[in-house]
Amino acid sequence: MNESVRHLREQMTLTEKASLTSGANFWNTKPVPRLGIPSIMLTDGPHGLRKQGGAADHLGLNSSIPATCFPTAATLANSWDAELLHRVGEALGDEAAAESVSVLLGPGLNIKRNPLAGRNFEYFSEDPLVSGALAAAFIRGVQSRGVAASAKHFAVNSQETHRMSIDEIVDERALHEIYLEGFRLAITGGDAWTVMSSYNKVNGTYANENRELLDGILRRRWGFDGLVVTDWGGNNDRVGGLVAGNALEMPSTGGVTDREVVRAVEGGTLDAAVLDARVDEVLALIEKTSPRGAAPADLDAHHELAVEAARQSIVLLANRAGTLPLGPGAGRIAVIGDFAETPRFQGAGSSLVNPTRVDSALDALQAAGLDIVGYEPGFARRDAASTRLRRRALALAARAEAVLLFLGLDESAEAEGVDRAHMRLAQNQLTLAEDLIALGKPVIVVLAGGSPVELPFAERVDAIVHGYLAGQGGGRAIVEVLTGVVNPSGRLAETYPLRYADVPSSKAFTKTEATSEHRESIYVGYRYYDKVGAPVRYPFGHGLSYTAFSYADLVADATTARVTVTNTGDRAGAEIVQFYVEAPDAAAGVFRAPRELRGFVKVRLEPGASATVDVALAEHAFDVFDVAAGDWRTVAGSYAVLAGASSRDIRLSASVEIAGDTGSEADTAQLPHYVSGHVEQVTSTEFEALLGSPLPTPDWSTGRALTRDDIVAQTKGRGGFGGLLYFLIDTSSDVLMRLRRPLAANNTRFVLDLPFRSIPRLSGGKFDDDMLVGLLLMVNRRFFRGARHLIGAALRLRARNSRNPKAN
């Protein structure tokens, strides 16, 4: 233990220790002036600094200082470039240090289990190796500037619907192989100083109180020695969190939970040594960080880095007959689509950055030397029919020889706190696209959005460029790709299914209230589609270039793979070489994915040039997680190491004999669909056999009184004041959406997922637990009794505060 940390802690009173492990306000820890312990600031975000100078919130409601908005994680993942992620991390660390921010709350690296998850834009990939490797590089970059990164949300934060109460039911093998492996790589490879626990439960226990997750796995198995912080308002049982390994509760609860900690220690229900260990973790973080006097960040240089990050991440999905790049001979071009002029470059919620500037594609196109005949928005930003906008766009297209059509998901579609309702583009965009295609002229689609969408027109347009959410410099970067100034090198870090119904979790995702059953187990993304041979729109790892690459001389063993790559085209470019491991008989005979990504490298080559690359295969390249043994186990057999340009574009194969255990991965007699891969057909009985335990009830129980542990949404349909409360929140959200204020609408709806217990804790001392008793009586159809209790409790609280205005 650091001697200075121990010395400080030994001088602290019990009250000071309890106080140090919770927030002073929304973004800062509590100082201990008597001992010279300063307050430090934690703030969002994963792809840009969101430091609020005024009113504070966790949902992007109030303004923050200008900062560089880099591409979101979903976009950066398409670069497959760890060095680029390190540079972005360094820049974010510089901006945080310049603003005296000690902890940057990112990166987010939850697995993208389902395309409709509302925060997919904040996460890297459906694959843990891509997620973990890129997150580790990002973390190292941030922390090289003396600012802590925070890997989040630990763990299995797979949906936004009921996120503060949902119980994620996942089998132990999938937990380790899919949902935890990226975190392991990020934390061990990046030496993360902090981890943020998630709101949800994992197999019945809140993540923030889950001793197996926070102590057994994070600390003992992986060797993490940093600090665990709650998500904002993510504390259920403060004492339980301390015991599990959570050191810091954020934001401030007005002293409510500090008193709980003091009482627990004094009453003997919390070992003082446990509190001391958590205090040590807070003090160590303060000592490591507390940036003061850092030089101002170079925001001009950071904008150029944001442009470069977008360039490396843009994906060319389709390019029929070499339509792109557009050159001087492209003829008259009509630019259509609202996203051209007003780019959608980031998501919404706690990661919402106030950019220092924004490059629009329309401005960049007009400066690119192309013959632009005009621009029309073509459709309303939100899905509302407009004959006038559509007719003006078609009239413009009639005057052109080609159409650049900018489509995408609008701001209401992807946001923290809500999941998407479907995987389609807005109907007004689809209608316009069909009308433009019918003109018979080349149509080039430019997409914006942080997660897959259905593309029914994909085979009938001439090219598709996907910018994802490309940050404040994305407009310029997209035009450089369109015109060939930049050769696209992004590759998809997630699979694009043909339709949402093809997703193995589509039948159940967000359909239940109390639990979310991960019946698909390890078969997430390409692991599922490749197992069952399902057709997809674009496979994992897919992306095109303006040049071509050949592969030769693949050599592999148990630890490394080597291949020679040659640029066979006529322009410089970059190839992302992907190494997959194919397990013996995995395609049909055993409970394993047919192939899994186990290494990758980005190779930049001039025309005609070759390079031989050596890549270390992932630590568990030939392993499965053995549930009975509680550890990883190498499975013996003859494996194929594959080199390819996507999970379905395999160029070379090399055989590798692996020594290990020949035992089966599971008792597969009861798991036929896990052997075949058709997990969309898994029954409750089969899933229970995999779990080794009965399934909990998937929906809320009705007919009982609501408690402090229930959420506001459970007032729906209860009648009386509870039903009215739900109606007012729900209606307010709908009205705000109709007024075209999607961020405010989504954030209003967020209240529905708030547990009643969080109301006093997040009220800043204006609402206490005694008042909550009255509120619960009111929603439980005892309105007048509850109202009297609530008013009396409010008066008592007011009297206490007037007698002791400095309390808490």
Side-chain angles (χ1 to χ4, degrees):
M1 181 198 304
N2 183 306
E3 190 61 27
S4 63
V5 165
R6 184 187 64 80
H7 179 69
L8 271 177
R9 189 246 300 152
E10 288 178 345
Q11 299 179 72
M12 295 175 70
T13 67
L14 174 58
T15 299
E16 287 170 338
K17 291 176 183 179
S19 174
L20 188 70
T21 58
S22 71
N25 50 41
F26 210 85
W27 297 117
N28 296 84
T29 64
K30 292 192 184 84
V32 184
R34 181 178 68 83
L35 297 175
I37 299 172
S39 168
I40 62 171
M41 186 174 200
L42 306 85
T43 197
D44 296 312
H47 57 269
L49 185 68
R50 195 177 77 92
K51 180 182 178 182
Q52 292 178 308
D57 71 277
H58 189 49
L59 290 170
L61 286 169
N62 296 300
S63 62
S64 56
I65 64 169
T68 308
C69 181
F70 290 96
T72 69
T75 314
L76 291 171
N78 294 334
S79 75
W80 298 58
D81 189 334
E83 188 273 335
L84 175 66
L85 270 291
H86 189 275
R87 290 167 60 201
V88 170
E90 288 176 327
L92 288 168
D94 284 338
E95 294 193 24
E99 292 293 336
S100 297
V101 169
S102 292
V103 182
L104 188 76
L105 300 173
L109 63 147
N110 291 101
I111 290 295
K112 298 163 92 164
R113 174 197 177 206
N114 185 287
L116 302 190
R119 282 180 102 168
N120 276 347
F121 66 88
E122 279 190 62
Y123 301 145
F124 289 104
S125 179
E126 66 189 33
D127 184 83
L129 178 60
V130 175
S131 298
L134 297 184
F138 176 93
I139 289 167
R140 291 193 298 269
V142 172
Q143 294 183 169
S144 71
R145 288 351 196 209
V147 174
S150 191
K152 65 182 190 181
H153 305 88
F154 191 71
V156 204
N157 178 200
S158 297
Q159 66 179 61
E160 293 299 283
T161 302
H162 308 322
R163 62 177 179 165
M164 299 186 80
S165 59
I166 199 75
D167 189 0
E168 302 279 2
I169 308 299
V170 56
D171 70 280
E172 192 172 353
R173 183 172 164 194
L175 183 66
H176 285 271
E177 293 187 15
I178 304 296
Y179 295 100
L180 296 183
E181 181 65 358
F183 279 100
R184 184 187 72 84
L185 294 169
I187 289 161
T188 59
D191 188 27
W193 295 347
T194 76
V195 167
M196 181 190 289
S197 59
S198 57
Y199 289 123
N200 53 278
K201 298 173 185 175
V202 180
N203 292 331
T205 303
Y206 280 101
N208 189 61
E209 300 160 26
N210 195 310
R211 295 184 69 176
E212 176 59 21
L213 279 177
L214 299 188
D215 186 58
I217 295 172
L218 182 61
R219 294 193 185 279
R220 298 180 188 274
R221 190 187 290 269
W222 298 347
F224 175 72
D225 62 356
L227 174 144
V228 177
V229 59
T230 66
D231 203 340
W232 264 234
N235 172 53
N236 169 59
D237 179 337
R238 173 84 180 279
V239 173
L242 289 168
V243 171
N246 176 275
L248 181 60
E249 175 191 38
M250 292 296 290
S252 169
T253 63
V256 171
T257 58
D258 294 350
R259 291 188 289 273
E260 293 175 3
V261 173
V262 171
R263 287 195 297 268
V265 173
E266 291 177 338
T269 57
L270 174 62
D271 188 339
V274 170
L275 178 60
D276 285 350
R278 305 290 85 83
V279 168
D280 288 348
E281 289 153 13
V282 177
L283 291 173
L285 179 65
I286 293 171
E287 187 174 74
K288 273 184 176 179
T289 59
S290 300
R292 297 290 184 270
D298 187 342
L299 297 180
D300 289 334
H302 288 180
H303 179 71
E304 292 305 311
L305 177 58
V307 175
E308 177 61 20
R311 290 183 185 122
Q312 297 300 321
S313 305
I314 293 167
V315 185
L316 178 60
L317 293 176
N319 191 23
R320 304 185 209 296
T323 302
L324 295 177
L326 299 172
R332 299 184 304 278
I333 299 172
V335 180
I336 295 172
D338 187 47
F339 296 98
E341 182 178 39
T342 308
R344 169 104 196 287
F345 59 91
Q346 63 176 325
S350 62
S351 67
L352 190 69
V353 178
N354 179 14
T356 59
R357 68 188 84 168
V358 178
D359 294 343
S360 80
L362 183 59
D363 289 342
L365 282 166
Q366 291 169 338
L370 298 173
D371 185 4
I372 304 297
V373 297
Y375 159 74
E376 287 292 341
F379 51 83
R381 188 71 164 199
R382 295 204 60 250
D383 191 3
S386 175
T387 302
R388 181 182 63 84
L389 291 176
R390 186 165 56 88
R391 284 177 176 172
R392 288 177 63 92
L394 292 171
L396 176 65
R399 296 164 41 209
E401 294 170 82
V403 175
L404 271 175
L405 178 58
F406 287 76
L407 304 175
L409 297 172
D410 68 42
E411 287 76 4
S412 68
E414 297 177 290
E416 178 178 359
V418 291
D419 293 308
R420 289 165 60 192
H422 53 74
M423 210 178 87
R424 302 183 299 276
L425 290 170
Q427 186 57 51
N428 60 0
Q429 296 184 42
L430 294 173
T431 299
L432 177 63
E434 293 295 340
D435 289 345
L436 291 169
I437 292 168
L439 295 178
K441 301 183 180 187
V443 175
I444 300 153
V445 172
V446 180
L447 287 173
S451 196
V453 291
E454 295 173 2
L455 298 170
F457 52 74
E459 302 302 322
R460 293 175 289 118
V461 296
D462 295 83
I464 304 176
V465 172
H466 205 332
Y468 264 66
L469 299 178
Q472 66 182 53
R476 193 202 325 167
I478 285 169
V479 172
E480 289 175 342
V481 166
L482 290 171
T483 57
V485 173
V486 169
N487 191 349
S489 61
R491 303 292 186 265
L492 292 176
E494 59 190 328
T495 306
Y496 267 57
L498 287 170
R499 61 194 64 83
Y500 181 60
D502 297 337
V503 178
S505 59
S506 62
K507 293 179 181 178
F509 184 73
T510 72
K511 300 295 194 301
T512 49
E513 299 165 328
T515 69
S516 175
E517 297 177 2
H518 293 236
R519 294 193 183 192
E520 70 278 6
S521 184
I522 64 171
Y523 297 111
V524 175
Y526 72 92
R527 287 169 168 82
Y528 166 74
Y529 299 111
D530 292 352
K531 178 80 171 184
V532 302
V536 298
R537 178 68 67 194
Y538 302 114
F540 175 79
H542 170 76
L544 304 178
S545 171
Y546 295 149
T547 189
F549 300 92
S550 66
Y551 294 33
D553 305 324
L554 173 64
V555 178
D557 58 27
T559 59
T560 59
R562 174 189 300 166
V563 73
T564 298
V565 184
T566 301
N567 182 344
T568 59
D570 58 2
R571 64 172 67 204
E575 173 75 328
I576 296 169
V577 184
Q578 302 159 43
F579 293 99
Y580 296 85
V581 167
E582 189 170 272
D585 301 320
V590 295
F591 180 7
R592 294 184 78 173
R595 64 188 65 91
E596 297 180 277
L597 183 75
R598 296 310 197 201
F600 61 89
V601 63
K602 193 165 191 173
V603 187
R604 294 174 174 83
L605 294 170
E606 294 297 316
S610 298
T612 299
V613 294
D614 288 271
V615 174
L617 297 178
E619 179 182 349
H620 297 304
F622 305 96
D623 300 347
V624 298
F625 190 85
D626 188 318
V627 175
D631 207 349
W632 292 90
R633 174 171 58 84
T634 301
V635 180
S638 181
Y639 288 78
V641 174
L642 314 173
S646 80
S647 76
R648 294 194 173 182
D649 184 3
I650 302 301
R651 307 291 180 83
L652 297 171
S653 175
S655 180
V656 177
E657 292 295 326
I658 297 297
D661 188 346
T662 57
S664 64
E665 288 74 37
D667 179 7
T668 56
Q670 299 181 72
L671 308 173
H673 296 105
Y674 292 107
V675 172
S676 70
H678 284 285
V679 288
E680 75 281 4
Q681 300 175 23
V682 167
T683 63
S684 297
T685 301
E686 187 173 356
F687 190 40
E688 287 180 335
L690 179 65
L691 290 172
S693 61
L695 285 168
T697 303
D699 293 309
W700 298 321
S701 58
T702 58
R704 63 169 178 81
L706 297 181
T707 72
R708 65 195 310 275
D709 293 324
D710 292 313
I711 65 174
V712 176
Q714 289 176 251
T715 58
K716 182 179 181 180
R718 297 182 72 87
F721 177 76
L724 176 63
L725 179 64
Y726 183 94
F727 172 79
L728 291 173
I729 297 170
D730 185 54
T731 302
S732 297
S733 176
D734 289 343
V735 169
L736 287 167
M737 193 66 80
R738 286 196 293 270
L739 293 174
R740 300 189 179 184
R741 298 182 59 192
L743 300 183
N746 288 340
N747 291 330
T748 300
R749 187 163 293 278
F750 164 77
V751 175
L752 293 174
D753 281 333
L754 197 68
F756 285 102
R757 66 171 179 271
S758 296
I759 298 173
R761 297 173 182 180
L762 298 177
S763 70
K766 297 180 176 62
F767 193 101
D768 66 7
D769 279 329
D770 195 18
M771 294 172 69
L772 178 60
V773 171
L775 177 62
L776 286 170
L777 286 168
M778 293 168 70
V779 301
N780 285 317
R781 302 185 70 89
R782 288 186 281 180
F783 179 81
F784 293 107
R785 180 181 172 186
R788 286 194 299 270
H789 189 107
L790 179 62
I791 293 168
L795 293 173
R796 289 189 291 273
L797 176 63
R798 182 178 179 182
R800 287 197 303 273
N801 289 341
S802 64
R803 289 194 301 269
N804 186 16
K806 294 184 179 180
N808 306 325

